[in-house]
Amino acid sequence: MSESFNAVLVEAREKPIVSMLEDIRVYMMTRWAANRERVLNYPGNIMPMIRKKLEKRTSLARDWRPYWSSASKYEVMCGLDKYVVDLTAGECSCTKWQMSGIPCPHAISCIIFKGLNLESYVDDCYKKEAYIMCYKEVIHSLNGLELWERTQYDDVIPPPYRKLSHRPVKKRKRRAADEDNRSQTHLSRKGEVQRCSNCGGVGHKKSGCSQPKKRTQSSTKRAKKNAPKLAPGQTVWGGRKKNTTPSPTNLPASHTRKTPPHKAQET
């Protein structure tokens, strides 16, 4: 309840003390009036959340078979499981009825077997009369600053504003008990051994590795894949490769092949 109330006052906590208290008072005044009006128009006797729990336990009670022992005591059985229920004392050997004030499935099976009213065995704190008693008091409205009574004392001046060196904290500090309430969208790495992907050592990451970084095969393939496609003879900077092999027209005279005389006469 305190955490829910603290989440509503996130904006009010940043204001001065008087303004913060006024926001809290207005919020409580409107909330109490809305709850008071809502409970008066509620048709049932058991509050909605408790009624849902009662219906869920009633659906589980059909698996249990009660055996009448005395005026108000029963032995409830389901397979090899057995529990003792005392309707007069409002007790069950499973202790769920005593702890919550709501009849457990074992007790509900006995109540239905006897044909009694189920709501009469629910604790009075879950009923409509108790809810009305909680909100019967009224938080009265107040006038503004102009109509407040003036006193002979000096006005209370707020302390000088001191700007912090860090971002103001709005969320509460997490405790050890909140570890189980964390988001389960990602797997936890708690207890795993930290191993470097560069050198294979234990206790540090690749970013803090002192060994020279290796050029992996995947990075080489990625570089080749992202390399631009070149035309035949074209270089990366846009030019063309120089032809180092001499063409037949540029060959020196000593390298030219002369046709034999007998070949020339035949042609």
Side-chain angles (χ1 to χ4, degrees):
M1 293 176 63
S2 61
E3 293 296 337
S4 301
F5 185 71
N6 189 32
V8 176
L9 305 178
V10 174
E11 297 182 0
R13 289 184 305 176
E14 300 179 356
K15 298 181 180 181
I17 295 178
V18 177
S19 302
M20 180 188 67
L21 293 176
E22 281 298 303
D23 288 354
I24 296 175
R25 186 190 61 81
V26 172
Y27 170 74
M28 294 299 298
M29 180 178 64
T30 54
R31 179 181 174 84
W32 281 36
N35 291 346
R36 192 184 307 113
E37 185 69 20
R38 182 169 53 186
V39 71
L40 292 176
N41 298 329
Y42 183 68
N45 189 28
I46 306 296
M47 291 293 100
M49 296 299 296
I50 306 303
R51 183 176 293 278
K52 289 182 180 179
K53 292 183 179 180
L54 200 61
E55 292 175 355
K56 184 178 180 180
R57 294 188 179 185
T58 304
S59 62
L60 298 175
R62 56 191 175 187
D63 298 332
W64 297 89
R65 293 176 296 172
Y67 295 92
W68 199 0
S69 174
S70 62
S72 60
K73 289 188 177 181
Y74 295 83
E75 181 180 322
V76 185
M77 184 185 303
C78 180
L80 299 178
D81 298 332
K82 292 182 180 181
Y83 294 97
V84 177
V85 178
D86 190 349
L87 296 181
T88 304
E91 296 177 354
C92 180
S93 56
C94 71
T95 68
K96 289 184 179 180
W97 191 2
Q98 298 91 296
M99 295 177 64
S100 63
I102 306 172
C104 60
H106 320 122
I108 294 175
S109 64
C110 300
I111 295 171
I112 296 175
F113 173 77
K114 198 69 180 292
L116 302 175
N117 185 16
L118 182 58
E119 293 185 358
S120 61
Y121 289 91
V122 180
D123 198 274
D124 294 337
C125 64
Y126 299 124
K127 296 182 179 179
K128 184 177 180 179
E129 293 78 7
Y131 200 91
I132 293 175
M133 290 290 294
C134 291
Y135 294 101
K136 70 174 184 178
E137 302 296 336
V138 179
I139 300 178
H140 299 281
S141 56
L142 298 176
N143 295 318
L145 295 173
E146 295 80 5
L147 301 178
W148 285 7
E149 181 182 355
R150 298 291 179 179
T151 63
Q152 58 182 353
Y153 303 103
D154 297 335
D155 295 338
V156 179
I157 305 300
Y161 178 74
R162 183 170 62 91
K163 187 176 181 180
L164 301 178
S165 59
H166 55 82
R167 183 179 297 179
V169 180
K170 295 185 179 181
K171 296 183 178 180
R172 66 181 183 88
K173 296 182 179 179
R174 301 185 66 88
R175 300 174 296 177
D178 298 334
E179 294 295 329
D180 299 335
N181 299 329
R182 294 181 302 176
S183 176
Q184 300 298 329
T185 55
H186 299 281
L187 295 176
S188 175
R189 294 187 177 181
K190 186 176 181 180
E192 293 186 1
V193 179
Q194 189 180 29
R195 187 176 297 275
C196 178
S197 60
N198 184 40
C199 65
V202 179
H204 65 279
K205 296 181 180 180
K206 180 180 178 181
S207 58
C209 184
S210 59
Q211 300 294 332
K213 294 185 178 180
K214 298 179 180 179
R215 186 177 180 85
T216 59
Q217 187 177 3
S218 60
S219 60
T220 307
K221 290 182 179 180
R222 193 182 303 111
K224 290 182 178 180
K225 183 178 180 181
N226 298 332
K229 295 183 179 180
L230 303 177
Q234 185 181 4
T235 58
V236 179
W237 53 86
R240 302 188 66 83
K241 294 182 180 179
K242 293 183 179 181
N243 191 3
T244 56
T245 57
S247 59
T249 56
N250 297 332
L251 289 176
S254 59
H255 290 274
T256 56
R257 186 176 178 179
K258 296 182 179 180
T259 306
H262 63 280
K263 293 283 185 178
Q265 292 178 1
E266 292 177 1
T267 55

